[in-house]
Each structure stands twice: as C-alpha cells, then as structure tokens.
Amino acid sequence: MSQDKVYTAGMLVIGDEILSGRTHDKNIAQVASWLQVQGIRLTEVRVVADVQARIVEAVNALREQYDYLFTTGGIGPTHDDITVDAVAEALGREVVIHPEARKTLEAYYTGRGLELTEARLRMARAPEGAGLIPNRISGAPGIQVENIYLMAGVPHITAQMLDGLTGKLEGGAPLQSQTLGGWIPESEVSDILRACEKAHERCQIGSYPFFREGTVGANFVIRSTEKTALEACAADLTGQLEAEGYAVTPGGI
Amino acid sequence: MSQDKVYTAGMLVIGDEILSGRTHDKNIAQVASWLQVQGIRLTEVRVVADVQARIVEAVNALREQYDYLFTTGGIGPTHDDITVDAVAEALGREVVIHPEARKTLEAYYTGRGLELTEARLRMARAPEGAGLIPNRISGAPGIQVENIYLMAGVPHITAQMLDGLTGKLEGGAPLQSQTLGGWIPESEVSDILRACEKAHERCQIGSYPFFREGTVGANFVIRSTEKTALEACAADLTGQLEAEGYAVTPGGI
C-alpha cells in the first residue's frame, strides 16, 4: 500500500435490463462503497447492453485508463451472458473451460443431485489464464484476469464476491468523509463552500440539497485521505455556517 | 416519427456522490423507462465525477454517438455544479445568463420574499443559444442545447422535467416487452431460450434469474418494436417451456 499514489477503478455494468429501466442497478453503489474502503477511487462507470462489440470497446477503454476494472452482469448460463467472451476478445485470449471452476460446479450440482449439463458448464468458461473469485451462493465463480474482475449481476452474489476480495487488492489511503447538514439553502452559502474548499486544499466538499417537510436543506460532505485535514475543514465550515446564523448538525440530516 | 429508424440516447450521470457510493442513483432507471415510452433506446450510460475535463470528454463521446444525450446532476448553485460550463466547453459555446431563466428565478424567489442573489443567479447560466426545460418545483430550469438535455440530479425534479418533455422528442416505434416467469432454473432452459430468440428475429429475449424462498427461478423478458412478433415469440416460448414440464406465469413472478 502506498500513501501517495491514488489508485483508481473503472466499472462496467452489463445488461439490457438496466438500460431498459426494468431493473434498478444496485451494484454501482455497493462496488463504489467497497472500493472506498479498499483505498481505491471509483472514477468512471459505464453501462452497456448485451452486445459483444460494445462490451469489448468499453472493457478496453476502462482497463487501460484505470488500475482496476470491475464488471457486473453477463456471467450466467444463458445466451445473453457474453461477458467472458467479450473480455477474452478484448485481451486477445482464448475462452477455455477453467478446470477448477468445472470442479466447483460439479461438486455444487452433484451435491444437490443434479447433473452438470452443457449449459451449466458454460459458467466454467473463462479467458485462458484467469483466476477465480469464489461464489459460495450459487456455485458459479467470478473471474479475475489481468486487472479485470468479473462479478455477478445479482447484487447479493456480487456482495459476497467482494467480501472475499476484501483487503486483497493494492490500494492507497482510503478516502474518508465527514458530513454536516442543516436546514440551509445551498444557494445561500455557496460562497462559503467555495472559499472553504479552496482554503483546505487536501479536501473536497460536495453539496447535496434536499427538500423535506416543505423546506430546503442540504448536506455537505467533506472528503479527504487525511483525517487531520478532514477535521480541520469540517470545523472551519461548521464555524462559518454558524457565524451566518445556521444550526449545523454533525453527521448530516 | 419513423417506424424504421432506431432512435438512440446516451446518458451521463454527473456526481462524486454516486461514485463514492453515498447516493444510490435513481435517475438511470427513470430516464431509461421514460425513453422507452418515447421510442428512444437508451444505449449507453456513463457516470463521471465533478471534474470538468472528464465531463467534457464524456459529453463529446456521447453526443456524437447517439441521437440524444441526457445528463443528470451538477446544475445547482454551488461550486461543484459545473455541468453547464462543461457542456458549453464541449460545444464551443459561451456561458451566458439566460434572460428567460433569470426572469423565472426572479419570480420564484421574489414570490417567496427572497432575493435573487448572485449564487442563485448561477442557476440561470446556460450555453449561449440554449432553450429551457421548465422546473415547477424549485425554479431552476433544465437546459436543452443541440441534442443535449441537462436535467437535475434530484430525482423528483428530473421526473417532472421529463414529464414536461413527454411526446416532444422525435422517436421511433416504442420497444414493447412481454414477461414470462416461473420456478425455472435458467441453466435448464438455456438451449430453448437461445433457439427461440433465433427463430423470432424481430425479438430479443433476456433471462433474469432470482433466488427466492430457497428456490431458483427466472423471468424471461421478450422485447420487440412489433406487437405481433412479440406475441408470437411469447406464445412459442411458453409452449416450449410447458412442453418441458414447467409451469409458466404470464407477466412474470
């Protein structure tokens, strides 16, 4: 782990169901939160349809630009599951049956009195030379090849794949955050926010307005990899907002 | 409206809060669903941080590739709201105070006994020559310039901006869908799905597995711009699944 390098990740969400609005994506938020804890900054996400050429294009753009690439979706047994093929094409590798994945699936299905059919064996396909990411829930593993991590589309399966990867990726100092909130119209305090961010150069301030109970308010999220810088900025911002007569709630409202 | 041309859209979600996992995006699903009804296919989504150069890059990539581009986020009054600046830069236009937006904001704030401060006036900034998208909730309008539609980050504000645009964009025949579901392991029927999609070339079939009550099941979503093709495919797939001994629930489970 390095304190100075900022480690970055791209993410590719694969699936017609997200682009049609039928399914609300839950993987972006969970991968994003998990990466924060690993000290890796999620920098860009793309969502593309189940079309191999589009997946290949996005995989190549993202894997080259960021330290890590996480994909979700398209690793199941059906005809619209083409993520493995697309990633293999992007990397110029063959698709093979991964021997360990085959064993895992065999054990999973025979343990349930079922056969490892040809369709199920599709879930053992991987780009040549890939490693596996364990899946305790449904048998079909995730895949790691070069800097790419192929995860499931079903959020709770991806959750436990991420769990198994915790602490195993090289990252930097994790980004920490501190939130302040109040019944404060952000347009009243935009000069304060701007000046405060400028004065605390190791910090970023995000302003997230809301409307509740007929009144406007906002939460201000300060982010930094340095705890002391974060605390100094939060104290400064709190003081300035209070000097303007606003009540400030630590932790946000 | 043309029945033959497939109209496409890209979408750009702007905001550190999505990439940090702090906020769960709700705009992708609502823009996607709305576009379906307009006969426009959402083809790609990107999520980028509040960094002007990254927004400019994504705006240019998406506006050139698709018939429409929708952005969400970054049009408020604070220092991290830079979508207008980025879109203007991408198009090589100046940023100006839009006279009509100024009037709307003046009316909105004076009507509430408040002043149109410089910070609030920021929300009247627009790329030169842009049109406005009405916002009945918070006064600050959305913006339309060339094929780009700038919407709010707050989902219920975007919802009513979309509502105001309903039927105003040129689109093709809307994509329709029909869903079948059952307690069917998708890996058991993947050959049927693949063959059925091949036999009905105006249709796409998506397979969405789930685990509930300790049992696996799946919903199969058939999509087509042609109602007759859709119905024929659904009938065929239902018949084939029932012939294998599965109970099929129209509408999905």
Side-chain angles (χ1 to χ4, degrees):
Chain A
M1 159 171 147
S2 155
Q3 290 293 329
D4 298 309
K5 177 172 157 66
V6 173
Y7 289 79
T8 59
M11 178 172 174
L12 180 60
V13 177
I14 297 158
D16 292 341
E17 70 277 24
I18 308 292
L19 292 170
S20 71
R22 183 178 178 277
T23 301
H24 290 232
D25 169 76
K26 288 179 184 152
N27 282 320
I28 295 176
Q30 78 168 346
V31 169
S33 305
W34 181 84
L35 283 170
Q36 289 258 65
V37 179
Q38 316 308 309
I40 298 165
R41 196 168 298 177
L42 182 59
T43 308
E44 180 177 348
V45 180
R46 298 194 188 181
V47 187
V48 299
D50 300 320
V51 175
Q52 188 156 334
R54 308 311 304 264
I55 305 173
V56 170
E57 191 181 65
V59 163
N60 277 329
L62 296 171
R63 77 186 175 93
E64 284 163 13
Q65 218 166 342
Y66 305 109
D67 295 316
Y68 300 100
L69 167 59
F70 284 76
T71 74
T72 57
I75 62 167
T78 57
H79 64 288
D80 54 346
D81 292 310
I82 55 175
T83 302
V84 165
D85 307 82
V87 170
E89 185 185 332
L91 299 175
R93 296 185 182 221
E94 294 295 313
V95 174
V96 297
I97 297 289
H98 192 293
E100 200 189 318
R102 185 197 188 111
K103 266 189 222 160
T104 307
L105 287 167
E106 243 160 19
Y108 180 87
Y109 285 109
T110 56
R112 282 160 180 77
L114 296 164
E115 239 182 297
L116 182 58
T117 58
E118 207 177 314
R120 288 171 177 151
L121 191 58
R122 257 183 80 80
M123 294 185 281
R125 294 163 78 249
E128 197 161 16
L132 301 181
I133 302 168
N135 169 359
R136 291 186 310 272
I137 296 176
S138 67
I143 293 161
Q144 177 263 317
V145 56
E146 298 188 15
N147 65 339
I148 311 175
Y149 294 77
L150 283 66
M151 322 291 279
V154 178
H156 74 277
I157 298 182
T158 288
Q160 55 96 18
M161 287 181 177
L162 290 171
D163 199 47
L165 286 175
T166 295
K168 294 192 178 154
L169 274 65
E170 194 178 352
L175 202 63
Q176 300 177 62
S177 72
Q178 204 162 319
T179 303
L180 314 172
W183 299 101
I184 305 170
E186 62 167 6
S187 64
E188 298 276 331
V189 298
S190 59
D191 290 344
I192 292 177
L193 296 172
R194 187 192 312 266
C196 198
E197 188 184 66
K198 212 169 171 187
H200 297 267
E201 50 175 34
R202 308 289 289 178
C203 297
Q204 282 185 313
I205 305 177
S207 172
Y208 306 109
F210 56 78
F211 303 82
R212 284 183 215 150
E213 304 159 36
T215 312
V216 297
N219 285 305
F220 309 114
V221 180
I222 308 165
R223 295 188 185 92
S224 179
T225 55
E226 292 172 25
K227 196 165 195 292
T228 50
L230 192 65
E231 283 170 355
C233 182
D236 187 8
L237 182 57
T238 301
Q240 289 196 51
L241 292 170
E242 287 176 347
E244 290 290 314
Y246 293 111
V248 176
T249 307
I253 57 174
Chain B
M1 162 171 143
S2 152
Q3 291 292 329
D4 298 310
K5 177 172 156 64
V6 174
Y7 289 80
T8 59
M11 177 173 177
L12 180 59
V13 177
I14 297 158
D16 293 341
E17 71 277 23
I18 308 291
L19 291 171
S20 71
R22 183 178 177 278
T23 301
H24 288 231
D25 170 78
K26 288 178 184 155
N27 282 320
I28 295 174
Q30 79 169 345
V31 169
S33 304
W34 181 84
L35 284 169
Q36 289 258 64
V37 178
Q38 316 306 311
I40 298 165
R41 195 168 299 177
L42 182 59
T43 309
E44 181 177 349
V45 181
R46 297 192 189 182
V47 187
V48 299
D50 300 319
V51 175
Q52 188 157 331
R54 307 312 304 265
I55 304 173
V56 170
E57 190 183 67
V59 164
N60 277 329
L62 296 171
R63 77 185 175 93
E64 284 163 14
Q65 216 166 345
Y66 304 109
D67 295 315
Y68 301 99
L69 168 58
F70 284 77
T71 74
T72 57
I75 62 169
T78 57
H79 65 288
D80 54 345
D81 291 310
I82 55 175
T83 302
V84 165
D85 307 81
V87 169
E89 184 186 333
L91 299 175
R93 296 186 183 222
E94 294 295 313
V95 174
V96 298
I97 296 289
H98 193 292
E100 202 188 318
R102 185 195 190 109
K103 266 188 225 163
T104 306
L105 287 168
E106 244 158 21
Y108 181 85
Y109 284 109
T110 57
R112 283 161 180 75
L114 296 165
E115 239 183 295
L116 182 57
T117 58
E118 206 177 313
R120 287 172 177 150
L121 191 58
R122 257 183 79 80
M123 294 185 281
R125 296 162 77 249
E128 197 163 17
L132 301 180
I133 303 168
N135 170 1
R136 291 186 309 272
I137 296 176
S138 66
I143 293 161
Q144 178 262 318
V145 55
E146 299 188 16
N147 64 339
I148 311 175
Y149 294 77
L150 282 65
M151 322 291 279
V154 179
H156 75 276
I157 298 182
T158 288
Q160 55 95 19
M161 288 181 178
L162 290 171
D163 199 46
L165 287 175
T166 295
K168 293 190 178 155
L169 274 65
E170 193 178 352
L175 202 62
Q176 301 178 61
S177 72
Q178 203 161 320
T179 302
L180 315 172
W183 299 101
I184 306 170
E186 62 168 4
S187 64
E188 297 277 330
V189 298
S190 59
D191 290 345
I192 291 177
L193 295 172
R194 186 191 313 265
C196 197
E197 188 183 68
K198 208 168 172 189
H200 297 267
E201 51 176 35
R202 308 288 291 178
C203 298
Q204 283 184 312
I205 306 177
S207 171
Y208 306 108
F210 56 78
F211 303 82
R212 280 183 219 154
E213 304 159 35
T215 312
V216 298
N219 284 306
F220 308 115
V221 180
I222 309 164
R223 297 189 185 89
S224 179
T225 54
E226 291 172 25
K227 196 165 193 292
T228 48
L230 193 65
E231 284 170 354
C233 182
D236 187 6
L237 181 57
T238 302
Q240 288 196 53
L241 292 170
E242 287 175 346
E244 290 291 311
Y246 294 110
V248 176
T249 307
I253 58 174

